Amino acid sequence: MATGREIAQLCGVSVATVSRVFNQPETVNQETRERVLRVAKELDYRPNEAARSLSTKQSTMIGLVWDTDHRRPGWRHPYLQDLLIGLKSALSAHGYHLLMLATSGDAREVGASLADPVGYVNMTRRHHLGGVVLIDSGSDAEAFEVFAQSGVPCVALDVAVDGPRATYVTSDNAGGARDAVRHLVSLGHKRIATITGPPGNQPSDARVSGYRAGLREAGLEERAEYVVAGDFYRASGTAAMDRLLDLDAPPTAVFASSDEMAVGALLAARAAGVRVPEDLALVGFDDIEIASVVEPALTTVAQDKPGFGVAAAKAIMAMVTGAGPEGPVVLPTRLVVRESCGS
């Protein structure tokens, strides 16, 4: 790969001028700037990002902190994969780069893990990262708090954090769940159950709150046996649906806190000879790709996945460039009606 010195020699300018073309282009006259950029393109020259960060005092490298342990399924969830694509695209469009920071396995080798969040914060500084994006893996609350109080710009996804340079992005989880229950009530259902995400997970807890609010609004009493915990994944939806169908008075409608669990519930109902939507109405949450291709197609609460990534990218870029953190971003949800409710 060509160096800045080689570009300078070929263009008849100083190394400092080449540096300014890439870091402070407005300080170089147009003719020189165009010549340097043309030669750099011909030689496939790319400025060293670490050096640029030191020179401009502003990093374009953003760290992604997320537990990638193969024994934990979070990284495989379709919703999170869609969210990451949106985040990476939004950052790339503004010249920023996303760097995955392992938090298991290799993390022990570099002396940093979410069990040692202070070491992780120090690692972000050693690598001159402009900021970090935090994704909850279910047990990282303490680490997130350390990041939020560290002064390192950070944006958490679906986890409420508070700090001098910290904010978070989430969806209107409670409102979306309430809309799902309202829809089921409008179809005449009174025995409405829910399959929740893991207790203690913030989106999961908010969706349970929305479910309960929807029942209260309709004048329906909550039944403890109609609230069954899952983990956002398909197998837990199947197990939860089996439990609900074994009740003396099984529900006629189920709101599942994720599409993956809703599909698992659909499979359990089919195996038990329960017809969807004729015998059981079903609503999911997320609107991942599978929701529209299963039979019957799944009514679901759609999250703004591209908007999630754009909002997170905007928030982290604002802090990297010196602005204070904005307030939490709460994105709206919308009910997508398909065939699994019969209307």
Side-chain angles (χ1 to χ4, degrees):
M1 182 181 295
T3 66
R5 184 172 298 279
E6 290 169 336
I7 300 297
Q9 291 173 345
L10 289 170
C11 294
V13 298
S14 68
V15 175
T17 297
V18 173
S19 176
R20 287 200 303 275
V21 167
F22 291 96
N23 298 319
Q24 298 172 303
E26 70 281 358
T27 66
V28 182
N29 71 67
Q30 183 175 350
E31 181 182 351
T32 300
R33 188 169 66 242
E34 290 177 351
R35 184 165 72 252
V36 169
L37 291 174
R38 183 178 67 254
V39 172
K41 182 177 180 181
E42 290 171 355
L43 298 182
D44 195 27
Y45 168 74
R46 296 182 182 87
N48 180 283
E49 288 296 332
R52 290 184 66 185
S53 297
L54 291 172
S55 120
T56 64
K57 308 300 183 186
Q58 188 180 112
S59 176
T60 60
M61 191 70 71
I62 304 299
L64 175 68
V65 178
W66 188 13
D67 192 330
T68 57
D69 192 327
H70 71 280
R71 293 166 296 183
R72 303 174 75 172
W75 65 277
R76 296 194 299 270
H77 198 285
Y79 169 74
L80 291 176
Q81 299 223 3
D82 288 346
L83 187 154
L84 284 178
I85 290 171
L87 174 64
K88 182 180 181 299
S89 297
L91 287 172
S92 297
H94 291 85
Y96 286 79
H97 310 280
L98 194 62
L99 176 67
M100 173 74 82
L101 301 177
T103 65
S104 61
D106 291 343
R108 288 189 292 274
E109 298 174 12
V110 298
S113 71
L114 290 184
D116 175 26
V118 174
Y120 230 99
V121 170
N122 290 337
M123 193 173 87
T124 67
R125 289 173 173 148
R126 287 199 305 272
H127 287 277
H128 305 289
L129 300 180
V132 292
V133 176
L134 309 172
I135 296 184
D136 180 30
S137 63
S139 60
D140 303 328
E142 180 183 353
F144 279 30
E145 181 64 23
V146 171
F147 269 110
Q149 297 301 320
S150 70
V152 174
C154 68
V155 174
L157 306 184
D158 267 337
V159 181
V161 296
D162 184 34
R165 303 184 74 189
T167 190
Y168 64 95
V169 181
T170 190
S171 293
D172 182 9
N173 292 292
R178 187 175 63 249
D179 288 344
V181 174
R182 283 175 175 168
H183 181 65
L184 294 170
V185 169
S186 74
L187 297 175
H189 293 283
K190 298 184 183 300
R191 300 205 308 269
I192 304 172
T194 185
I195 303 173
T196 78
N201 173 277
Q202 290 185 26
S204 172
D205 290 349
R207 291 170 198 177
V208 174
S209 295
Y211 161 78
R212 289 172 172 152
L215 293 181
R216 287 194 302 270
E217 184 181 89
L220 299 176
E221 183 179 352
E222 180 187 340
R223 301 172 60 159
E225 68 271 24
Y226 280 2
V227 180
V228 183
D231 62 6
F232 289 139
Y233 295 92
R234 194 174 305 175
S236 71
T238 298
M241 192 72 246
D242 286 339
R243 284 181 55 184
L244 291 169
L245 292 176
D246 280 343
L247 295 174
D248 291 337
T252 63
V254 173
F255 162 60
S257 283
S258 77
D259 290 342
E260 282 267 308
M261 293 195 300
V263 171
L266 176 63
L267 296 176
R270 187 174 294 164
V274 175
R275 299 170 301 166
V276 177
E278 292 86 356
D279 305 320
L280 177 74
L282 195 57
V283 181
F285 203 109
D286 288 334
D287 197 27
I288 59 177
E289 184 178 6
I290 196 172
S292 63
V293 298
V294 293
E295 292 185 6
L298 188 64
T299 293
T300 186
V301 178
Q303 299 195 73
D304 184 358
K305 295 182 286 293
F308 222 110
V310 169
K314 179 181 177 182
I316 196 71
M317 288 187 294
M319 286 187 283
V320 169
T321 55
E326 299 178 355
V329 179
V330 180
L331 298 172
T333 58
R334 62 186 177 88
L335 185 69
V336 179
V337 177
R338 297 193 179 104
E339 290 79 36
S340 65
C341 290
S343 178

